[in-house]
């Protein structure tokens, strides 16, 4: 059983007010949503950014018009001509300066992420730290964009491969990670010599504007073209415009599987490149050899972190039937400790959902689960207590279910966890885990090395991420992030993910006085 001590560790409280943080980020009540570098373009049509924390309007933001879009494209094209000629280590120096600027403004930017998106302040600060970490990673990588040298079959010939920047990279990001995913893409794209155009979620535009102002200042201080980093703000149609634009070499899109399929079809039709990070229906397997004291915090954070609005959220718990009763008892005790409320209060573990539409989808999923025969263990609901006036706060749910239920096969972007019992061998648990269309993250809890190695083998998890004795949620910068099947198959962040942002070229050099032809062909004239 979990004791009285909380399963979460909490940092100290911040005393700075929201307005002070916004002021430090140079964010006002009216902002322009279109920019190249630190040059912002004004227009008439606007949207409002509302905080799910308290329902208040934070600011009014102008949208990108068609004429604004063409200005951005032109600026980006011109910037690329200069940026690609700068040596990669020098480009890395600019990314280093960006990382230093983020360190200076980490608390304020993390606070804005928490307030505009609704995730806890701890998670908001952690997201900015991810930005800093990817900058550090990219700086080192800027001196390691290696090619290969190969032996030619022809005498006195040399062959090698090298990598060149693609050009313009379009980034479409989702609301749940309003700054980190952009940074994962841009830090690598920049050191590779690309220029970037960012379309953030219309639900979190202020976070993007704050980031644009930070990098804009870095570019200005180094007398670099403003078009190296551009921002456009709009709704779904603007994302479709990016996908269809032949001038944009790579489109990196994060969001739902449906959105990703639309992007892939549009970009593919013009033979462009796409990098897709889409939905997840992530499972954790609990074998009879699991350490439940280790498993419980991983389960709870995986299920309720960011209010269940992570692509790596734990959504299915595949538990050996010998442990189901004990696990349910422990989970009930752990869930009773969860504190729900304002994201800006560090004593709370879970903040609101992003908006009331997300709440409606969550409550609809609860109804569907019960109609399909799932048994409520902990049934979530809309919270209307004091401090929950935004009507975006819910309590989490845990259901005893079957994997084949239609609702279990779907990704519900909310704190909804399904316990799925299995009996027999590990192979059965793996079969259940893999029996969904998504393939992002997975985990197993076991102290048995044979079980863990089977899970990690080609017969095991079919996901892009497979963890042993840690949860499904979260990722480290050093490892490439992404998944398979309906998750999209893209890889961002670590490892050799930089190759997605470059084109490979094979070069052959003849330093002889003859011209031997390939395959021994003789050609005389």
């Amino acid at each position: 059983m979990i004791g009285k001590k909380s399963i979460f560790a909490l940092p100290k409280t911040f005393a700075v007010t929201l307005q002070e943080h916004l002021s430090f980020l140079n964010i006002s009540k009216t902002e322009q949503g279109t920019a190249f570098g630190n040059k912002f373009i004004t227009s008439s049509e606007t949207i409002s950014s509302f905080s799910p924390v308290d329902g208040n309007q934070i600011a009014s933001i102008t949208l990108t018009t068609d004429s604004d879009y063409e200005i951005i494209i032109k600026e980006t094209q011109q910037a690329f001509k200069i940026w690609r000629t700068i040596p990669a280590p020098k480009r890395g120096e600019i990314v280093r300066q960006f990382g230093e600027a983020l360190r200076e403004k980490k608390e304020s930017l993390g606070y804005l992420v928490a307030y505009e998106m609704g995730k806890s302040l701890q998670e908001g600060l952690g997201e900015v730290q991810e930005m800093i970490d990817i900058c550090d990673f990219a700086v080192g990588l800027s001196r390691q964009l290696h090619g290969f040298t190969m032996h030619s079959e022809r005498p006195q010939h040399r062959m090698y491969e090298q990598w060149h920047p693609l050009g313009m990279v379009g980034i479409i990001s989702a609301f749940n990670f309003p700054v980190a995913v952009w940074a994962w893409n841009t830090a690598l794209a920049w050191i590779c010599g690309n220029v970037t155009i960012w379309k953030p979620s219309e639900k979190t535009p202020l976070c993007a504007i704050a980031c644009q102002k930070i990098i804009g200042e870095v570019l200005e201080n180094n007398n670099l073209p403003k078009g190296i980093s551009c921002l456009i703000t709009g709704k779904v149609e603007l994302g479709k415009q990016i996908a269809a634009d032949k001038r944009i070499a790579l489109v990196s899109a994060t969001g739902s599987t449906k959105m990703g399929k639309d992007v892939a079809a549009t970009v593919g039709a013009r033979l462009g490149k796409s990098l897709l990070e889409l939905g997840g229906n992530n499972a954790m397997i609990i074998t009879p050899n699991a350490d439940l004291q280790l498993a419980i915090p991983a389960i709870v954070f995986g299920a309720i972190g960011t209010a269940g609005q992570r692509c790596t959220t734990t959504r299915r718990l595949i538990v050996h039937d010998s442990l189901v009763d004990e696990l349910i008892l422990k989970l009930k005790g752990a869930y009773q400790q969860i504190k729900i409320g304002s994201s800006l209060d560090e004593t709370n573990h879970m903040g609101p959902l992003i908006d009331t539409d997300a709440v409606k989808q969550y409550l609809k999923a609860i109804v569907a689960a019960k109609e399909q025969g799932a048994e409520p263990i902990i049934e979530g609901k809309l919270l209307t207590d004091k401090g929950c006036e935004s009507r975006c706060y819910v309590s989490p749910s845990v259901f005893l279910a079957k994997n084949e239920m239609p609702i279990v096969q779907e990704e519900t972007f909310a704190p909804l966890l399904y316990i799925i019992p299995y009996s027999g061998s590990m192979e059965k648990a793996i079969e259940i885990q893999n029996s969904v269309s998504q393939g992002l993250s997975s985990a197993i809890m076991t102290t048995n090395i044979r079980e863990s190695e089977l899970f990690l083998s080609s017969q095991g998890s079919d996901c892009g991420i497979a963890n042993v004795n840690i949860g499904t949620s979260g990722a480290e910068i050093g490892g490439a992030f992404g998944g398979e099947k309906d998750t999209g198959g893209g890889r961002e962040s670590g490892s050799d993910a930089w190759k997605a942002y470059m084109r490979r070229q094979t070069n052959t050099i003849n330093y002889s006085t003859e011209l031997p032809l390939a395959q021994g062909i003789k050609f005389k004239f």
Side-chain angles (χ1 to χ4, degrees):
M1 289 288 291
I2 296 294
K4 294 182 178 179
K5 187 171 66 175
S6 172
I7 57 174
F8 297 95
L10 301 171
K12 63 182 180 180
T13 302
F14 284 72
V16 182
T17 66
L18 169 64
Q19 193 53 51
E20 288 173 312
H21 282 301
L22 294 179
S23 178
F24 188 57
L25 295 170
N26 196 25
I27 297 294
S28 63
K29 290 291 185 181
T30 56
E31 287 288 347
Q32 287 75 47
T34 309
F36 51 98
N38 60 358
K39 174 65 175 178
F40 283 78
I41 303 172
T42 59
S43 62
S44 56
E45 188 177 357
T46 63
I47 58 172
S48 294
S49 172
F50 290 93
S51 170
V53 174
D54 54 20
N56 291 336
Q57 179 177 335
I58 314 172
S60 176
I61 300 99
T62 61
L63 299 180
T64 301
T65 65
D66 288 341
S67 60
D68 294 340
Y69 181 85
E70 288 304 318
I71 291 172
I72 292 298
I73 291 291
K74 181 179 178 180
E75 290 289 336
T76 309
Q77 287 176 320
Q78 293 302 313
F80 176 58
K81 293 177 182 179
I82 298 172
W83 186 237
R84 66 184 174 183
T85 67
I86 297 174
K90 298 294 185 183
R91 297 193 294 255
E93 166 59 18
I94 302 305
V95 174
R96 186 196 68 79
Q97 292 180 30
F98 179 53
E100 288 301 306
L102 289 172
R103 282 182 171 89
E104 180 185 350
K105 299 189 176 181
K106 175 181 174 179
E107 289 187 8
S108 293
L109 184 55
Y111 197 100
L112 176 59
V113 168
Y115 188 59
E116 187 178 35
M117 185 268 148
K119 63 175 57 178
S120 70
L121 182 54
Q122 304 97 299
E123 292 182 83
L125 295 169
E127 183 170 346
V128 181
Q129 185 61 49
E130 285 191 32
M131 301 176 74
I132 296 168
D133 292 344
I134 193 63
C135 287
D136 289 347
F137 180 85
V139 171
L141 191 62
S142 68
R143 295 181 181 271
Q144 301 179 68
L145 303 178
H146 303 307
F148 289 101
T149 298
M150 297 156 286
H151 290 282
S152 172
E153 65 183 28
R154 290 166 285 188
Q156 294 186 298
H157 282 60
R158 181 166 66 89
M159 293 178 64
Y160 68 92
E161 290 181 345
Q162 62 178 338
W163 296 82
H164 296 299
L166 293 171
M168 282 189 280
V169 173
I171 301 164
I172 303 171
S173 62
F175 72 85
N176 59 332
F177 280 85
V179 294
V181 171
W182 167 74
W184 286 4
N185 283 275
T186 50
L188 297 190
W190 287 337
I191 61 104
C192 290
N194 301 294
V195 290
T196 57
I197 301 173
W198 182 16
K199 185 229 169 271
S201 169
E202 64 272 21
K203 297 179 181 181
T204 51
L206 278 182
C207 290
I209 291 170
C211 292
Q212 183 67 27
K213 290 185 177 184
I214 294 171
I215 186 59
E217 184 175 347
V218 172
L219 294 175
E220 182 178 37
N221 290 343
N222 287 273
N223 197 29
L224 287 168
K226 293 179 171 63
I228 292 170
S229 177
C230 296
L231 174 69
I232 55 177
T233 302
K235 298 185 179 179
V236 175
E237 291 71 25
L238 190 58
K240 293 180 178 179
Q241 191 172 352
I242 291 174
D245 196 331
K246 292 182 178 181
R247 297 168 292 185
I248 298 178
L250 170 68
V251 178
S252 177
T254 304
S256 69
T257 296
K258 180 182 182 304
M259 180 274 282
K261 287 181 177 180
D262 291 341
V263 169
T266 303
V267 176
R270 61 177 175 85
L271 298 181
K273 298 178 184 294
S274 60
L275 197 168
L276 305 174
E277 297 292 350
L278 310 175
N281 195 348
N282 315 294
M284 181 188 293
I285 297 174
I286 309 291
T287 81
N289 297 297
D291 179 346
L292 293 188
Q293 289 299 110
L294 191 69
I296 295 299
I299 296 168
V300 178
F301 176 72
I304 66 103
T306 323
Q309 297 172 114
R310 290 183 176 218
C311 52
T312 55
T313 292
T314 306
R315 308 201 181 279
R316 295 176 298 139
L317 205 56
I318 302 168
V319 186
H320 192 269
D321 53 13
S322 65
L323 292 177
V324 170
D325 291 342
E326 182 183 359
L327 185 74
I328 288 176
L329 187 63
K330 288 181 179 293
L331 275 181
K332 285 182 176 180
Y335 268 64
Q336 288 175 358
Q337 297 181 44
I338 296 171
K339 296 181 180 179
I340 304 169
S342 171
S343 305
L344 307 181
D345 182 347
E346 297 91 337
T347 64
N348 291 327
H349 304 122
M350 185 174 131
L353 293 176
I354 184 64
D355 55 25
T356 55
D357 286 340
V359 172
K360 291 176 184 176
Q361 290 301 314
Y362 174 51
L363 298 179
K364 183 179 177 181
I366 291 174
V367 172
K370 291 192 290 186
E371 289 178 346
Q372 293 170 25
E375 178 187 343
I377 304 299
I378 301 169
E379 185 172 340
K381 62 180 181 179
L382 173 67
L383 300 179
T384 57
D385 305 335
K386 184 179 180 182
C388 300
E389 289 83 358
S390 68
R391 300 190 67 78
C392 294
Y393 291 87
V394 297
S395 58
S397 296
V398 179
F399 278 78
L400 193 62
K402 296 180 180 180
N403 196 64
E404 59 269 23
M405 292 176 176
I407 191 64
V408 177
Q409 291 285 312
E410 299 176 9
E411 178 189 35
T412 301
F413 225 51
L416 178 52
L417 177 67
Y418 300 107
I419 296 176
I420 302 166
Y422 80 95
S423 58
S425 67
M426 259 283 295
E427 285 82 359
K428 179 60 177 177
I430 292 171
E431 179 185 348
I432 294 171
Q433 181 206 274
N434 294 345
S435 295
V436 293
S437 62
Q438 309 87 351
L440 178 53
S441 187
S442 58
I444 186 172
M445 288 290 172
T446 179
T447 57
N448 184 307
I449 191 171
R450 291 178 178 175
E451 290 179 338
S452 64
E453 289 299 322
L454 176 62
F455 178 74
L456 299 176
S457 74
S458 61
Q459 304 164 265
S461 170
D462 64 0
C463 296
I465 300 169
N467 297 328
V468 176
N469 291 328
I470 62 171
T472 64
S473 189
E476 288 192 41
I477 292 302
F481 180 87
E484 302 298 332
K485 302 189 293 188
D486 279 1
T487 298
R491 293 297 184 273
E492 295 173 335
S493 185
S495 187
D496 64 348
W498 61 271
K499 293 180 179 179
Y501 304 91
M502 303 194 84
R503 58 181 177 89
R504 181 162 59 182
Q505 183 182 79
T506 301
N507 308 115
T508 306
I509 300 169
N510 177 7
Y511 57 94
S512 74
T513 58
E514 299 180 358
L515 185 65
L517 302 178
Q519 290 84 45
I521 295 173
K522 304 296 183 181
F523 183 73
K524 296 182 179 180
F525 60 91

